[in-house]
Amino acid sequence: MGLFSSLFGSKKSESNSSASVGVDDLLNALDNYINDYEETNGRKPETILLDFNIHIMFAQAGVYKTNRFNGIRIEPIAGIDDGLTWKAV
């Protein structure tokens, strides 16, 4: 199940024609994913595959201009396993 449907369900928003997820929500969820990965594996992931559409959102919001991922390589990719939003490799 992808992040959008797992966090916000698949129903349409009452105020919009489609549910929207903000960049801050995605970043918080990705931070949680990285922290969980580190807790389980004893280190942060070296690389995270990132859904291409999320990559575009992050780029437009200027996320990559910051030191947000601190040494974690982010690779945009289309079609991550089972429709995942991101995956550590």
Side-chain angles (χ1 to χ4, degrees):
M1 177 176 281
L3 175 70
F4 293 117
S5 57
S6 65
L7 285 180
F8 302 99
S10 59
K11 295 182 179 179
K12 292 185 178 183
S13 170
E14 291 179 18
S15 60
N16 295 333
S17 61
S18 65
S20 65
V21 176
V23 170
D24 289 338
D25 295 325
L26 291 167
L27 287 171
N28 288 332
L30 182 53
D31 286 342
N32 289 337
Y33 177 81
I34 291 169
N35 291 336
D36 289 345
Y37 182 94
E38 183 175 18
E39 189 175 303
T40 302
N41 298 289
R43 63 177 176 78
K44 291 188 177 189
E46 294 177 19
T47 303
I48 293 180
L49 303 178
L50 184 67
D51 178 83
F52 188 77
N53 293 318
I54 304 301
H55 158 71
I56 296 297
M57 290 174 66
F58 284 1
Q60 290 175 340
V63 171
Y64 298 121
K65 293 179 182 178
T66 68
N67 201 17
R68 176 90 185 202
F69 300 111
N70 201 17
I72 299 173
R73 188 172 70 208
I74 303 295
E75 291 191 19
I77 189 167
I80 302 174
D81 300 336
D82 298 321
L84 295 174
T85 305
W86 43 67
K87 180 181 179 180
V89 292

